[in-house]
Amino acid sequence: MQDLNVVLFDNFETLDACGPIEIFGTLGASYRIEYFSMNGGIVASRQGLRVETKPFASMEPSGTLLIPGGMGTRTLVRDPEFLGQLATLANQAEDVLTVCTGSAVLAMTGLLNSRRATSNKLAFSWVTSLNPSVDWVPKARWVVDGNFYTSSGVSAGMDMALGYVSDRLGYEVAHKTAHDIEYLWNEDPRTDPFAKTIE
Amino acid sequence: MQDLNVVLFDNFETLDACGPIEIFGTLGASYRIEYFSMNGGIVASRQGLRVETKPFASMEPSGTLLIPGGMGTRTLVRDPEFLGQLATLANQAEDVLTVCTGSAVLAMTGLLNSRRATSNKLAFSWVTSLNPSVDWVPKARWVVDGNFYTSSGVSAGMDMALGYVSDRLGYEVAHKTAHDIEYLWNEDPRTDPFAKTIE
C-alpha cells in the first residue's frame, strides 16, 4: 500500500486535484489517498468545493505527493513559509506530481532547477518567468524528469496520472483504469494540442 | 446568475461530481455552485474526499440539479426517504443532470419513466434492471430528453456538462470552456467507445 498525499490550499483548481485522485482511487488497494493543507482544516477550491484536510505536519514522509494548481498559487509562489514546508514534503516524497500551475509553486522551491518541466499553457509566460533555471518544455501534455512529473493545464493531470500509473504499475493497469472510468486517455505525453496557445 | 446545485452523499464518485463542477466553475459568473446532502455536514467520496455540504432543505427551488453516481447509489436506490426528497428537488429544478449511476437513483423516483436515458456501461445491467419503464439507451456518451441530461460513466459527465453548456449558452462558450481547462471534449453524444463493454 502506497500513500498518495494531496496538497490542497484555498483557491485550488478542483479538477487539478480530483482528476488524478479519481485515477488513484480507482486502482483500489494500491494507493491510500490523504488530503493535506499547511494548517489543516477546511480549504475551498475555486469552484467552492470545501474539503476537510489534515495539517502538513501529520503527513508520513514517504509516498507520492500531488500538487494541484489554481488561482491560489498566485499568492503561494510568494509565501516563504508555505514554500519552505512544501520543499520539505517534496524532498521526503518518493515521487512528486504537479498539475497545471502546481509546477509554478514547486519551481519556487528550487527543486525543479535544471530539470525539464511543463505547466498550464494559458499561464505559461507567468510560470516560466518565476524561475528561468527550470528547463521549461512548451509542448508537452506532461513531462517526466526523474521522480518529478509535471503536467499541462487542468485536464492534462488525468493523462499524466495515468502515465505515472503506467510507469509504476504497468501499461495494462493504466489502460484498465481509464476504461473503468470511461476515460479516453490521451496517452502520448508529446501530443499537446494546447501548446499553440502560448503567447 | 444560475444555480448549479450538486447532490452529494457518502461514497459518491469524485469525478462524477468534480468533472462537471470544474466546467460550470470555469464559466465564471454564469453559475453559482452549491453543495448539498440530505442532512448536510461532511460527506466522503469513494476516494476519501471529505466535502462540506448544506442540507437539502436549504436548496433554492430552481436552477440546475447535478446528481453524481458511485457506490453510494447502491443503497440510495432502496432508501425511500432519500428518493422522496430527491424527487422533490428534481421536480423543482429547471434541469436535471445525472452522471454514471446517478441515473439509477433518479430512475427510482419515477421521473425518468418513458424517457430516454443512459448510465454507466459497466453497471448497465444493474441500472436498467431497477426500472424497465425507462427507455435505456445502451450506446450514448450522454442522452438528452427534455430537461433531463443523463451521462455514461464517470468521465462522460464532463462531455455531457459541456454539451449542456453548449445547449444553454452556445457552442462557442462550451468550446472555449473546454479549451480553458485543456480538455479534449468528446462532443458527439452518439460516439460511445464503452458501449461494447455491456454484458
Side-chain angles (χ1 to χ4, degrees):
Chain A
M1 175 78 84
Q2 277 270 30
D3 282 320
L4 176 73
N5 296 319
V6 184
V7 170
L8 298 179
F9 43 83
D10 279 325
N11 254 327
F12 73 94
E13 188 72 16
T14 304
L15 192 64
D16 288 14
C18 293
I21 73 153
E22 175 69 29
I23 286 158
F24 283 93
T26 300
L27 295 170
S30 306
Y31 281 85
R32 176 176 57 192
I33 308 174
E34 296 202 282
Y35 302 87
F36 298 89
S37 65
M38 191 159 72
N39 300 313
I42 298 279
V43 300
S45 81
R46 184 169 74 89
Q47 289 76 20
L49 189 76
R50 295 173 59 80
V51 177
E52 207 175 75
T53 63
K54 299 174 180 178
F56 281 174
S58 67
M59 192 186 297
E60 291 289 324
S62 62
T64 305
L65 194 70
L66 174 67
I67 308 169
M71 288 310 292
T73 63
R74 300 277 167 160
T75 49
L76 293 179
V77 296
R78 305 292 178 208
D79 182 337
E81 188 183 356
F82 181 90
L83 294 172
Q85 294 196 27
L86 186 71
T88 301
L89 300 180
N91 274 317
Q92 290 175 164
E94 290 161 44
D95 299 306
V96 181
L97 280 56
T98 73
V99 179
C100 194
T101 52
S103 60
V105 186
L106 187 62
M108 292 302 284
T109 66
L111 286 169
L112 290 177
N113 285 5
S114 304
R115 289 187 180 271
R116 298 174 71 250
T118 197
S119 193
N120 189 320
K121 297 306 147 51
L122 302 180
F124 207 71
S125 304
W126 173 69
V127 174
T128 56
S129 72
L130 291 169
N131 184 350
S133 300
V134 180
D135 180 7
W136 293 108
V137 180
K139 186 176 179 183
R141 190 72 174 158
W142 75 93
V143 167
V144 185
D145 190 330
N147 62 334
F148 291 92
Y149 283 64
T150 56
S151 91
S152 189
V154 198
S155 310
M158 298 185 67
D159 295 326
M160 176 191 72
L162 286 164
Y164 177 76
V165 167
S166 181
D167 292 348
R168 291 294 175 274
L169 302 174
Y171 176 78
E172 289 306 318
V173 175
H175 190 266
K176 181 182 182 309
T177 303
H179 180 270
D180 286 348
I181 62 168
E182 300 191 21
Y183 182 64
L184 292 152
W185 179 22
N186 309 293
E187 54 186 273
D188 179 0
R190 295 162 302 183
T191 300
D192 179 10
F194 302 97
K196 61 182 181 290
T197 64
I198 298 174
E199 287 165 15
Chain B
M1 174 78 82
Q2 276 271 31
D3 283 320
L4 176 73
N5 296 319
V6 184
V7 169
L8 298 179
F9 43 83
D10 278 325
N11 254 326
F12 73 94
E13 189 72 17
T14 304
L15 192 63
D16 287 13
C18 292
I21 73 155
E22 175 70 30
I23 286 158
F24 284 93
T26 300
L27 295 170
S30 306
Y31 282 86
R32 175 176 61 191
I33 307 175
E34 295 201 282
Y35 303 87
F36 298 89
S37 64
M38 192 161 69
N39 300 312
I42 298 279
V43 298
S45 81
R46 185 169 75 90
Q47 289 76 19
L49 190 76
R50 294 172 60 80
V51 177
E52 207 174 74
T53 63
K54 299 176 182 176
F56 280 175
S58 67
M59 191 187 296
E60 291 289 325
S62 62
T64 305
L65 194 70
L66 174 67
I67 308 169
M71 289 309 292
T73 62
R74 301 274 168 162
T75 50
L76 293 180
V77 296
R78 306 290 177 207
D79 182 336
E81 188 182 354
F82 181 90
L83 294 173
Q85 294 196 27
L86 185 70
T88 302
L89 300 180
N91 274 317
Q92 289 175 165
E94 289 161 45
D95 298 307
V96 180
L97 280 57
T98 72
V99 179
C100 194
T101 53
S103 59
V105 186
L106 186 61
M108 291 303 284
T109 67
L111 287 169
L112 290 178
N113 286 3
S114 304
R115 288 188 180 271
R116 298 173 72 250
T118 197
S119 193
N120 189 320
K121 298 305 147 52
L122 302 181
F124 207 70
S125 303
W126 174 71
V127 174
T128 56
S129 73
L130 290 169
N131 184 349
S133 300
V134 180
D135 180 7
W136 293 109
V137 181
K139 185 174 180 185
R141 191 72 173 157
W142 75 91
V143 167
V144 186
D145 189 331
N147 63 333
F148 291 92
Y149 283 64
T150 56
S151 91
S152 190
V154 197
S155 310
M158 297 184 67
D159 295 325
M160 176 191 72
L162 287 163
Y164 177 76
V165 167
S166 181
D167 291 346
R168 292 293 177 274
L169 302 174
Y171 177 79
E172 288 306 318
V173 176
H175 189 266
K176 182 183 182 307
T177 303
H179 180 268
D180 286 349
I181 62 168
E182 300 191 21
Y183 182 64
L184 292 151
W185 179 22
N186 310 293
E187 54 186 273
D188 180 359
R190 295 160 303 183
T191 300
D192 179 10
F194 302 97
K196 60 181 181 292
T197 64
I198 297 176
E199 288 166 13

